[in-house]
Amino acid sequence: LDPTTLLRLGSTLLAHGRLDGARSAFQQVTARGVGREFEAIARFNLGLVAAAAGESVEAASAIATAGEELRSLAIVPPRYAL
């Protein structure tokens, strides 16, 4: 499947609470080397999966990493940004 389809599939599975399937779809995107934007979105979504699974440290790390890789995914601005 192409990365867009995998991201949509993973998001749908996540929305329905099927965390293992969602994690697998997002991991396939990150493993393929399909481009910075797709990989950052997949990492962000892996953070959401981790949060839903109660893995708070992993969730925070994945979301922060995705935000550093692609600033449009950042939840908060970088430290001391004006």
Side-chain angles (χ1 to χ4, degrees):
L1 298 174
D2 67 274
T4 302
T5 302
L6 285 169
L7 289 173
R8 288 179 180 160
L9 173 62
S11 295
T12 301
L13 291 170
L14 175 58
H16 289 278
R18 296 179 57 189
L19 303 182
D20 290 337
R23 188 181 316 256
S24 175
F26 298 137
Q27 286 174 336
Q28 286 181 55
V29 175
T30 61
R32 288 187 182 180
V34 293
R36 185 173 146 249
E37 186 173 357
F38 284 118
E39 291 174 21
I41 292 168
R43 281 190 187 84
F44 184 90
N45 289 343
L46 283 167
L48 297 179
V49 171
E55 303 163 356
S56 57
V57 173
E58 293 85 354
S61 176
I63 292 170
T65 299
E68 290 169 6
E69 291 175 3
L70 192 63
R71 288 301 309 152
S72 65
L73 294 175
I75 295 174
V76 295
R79 184 179 278 179
Y80 308 115
L82 299 176

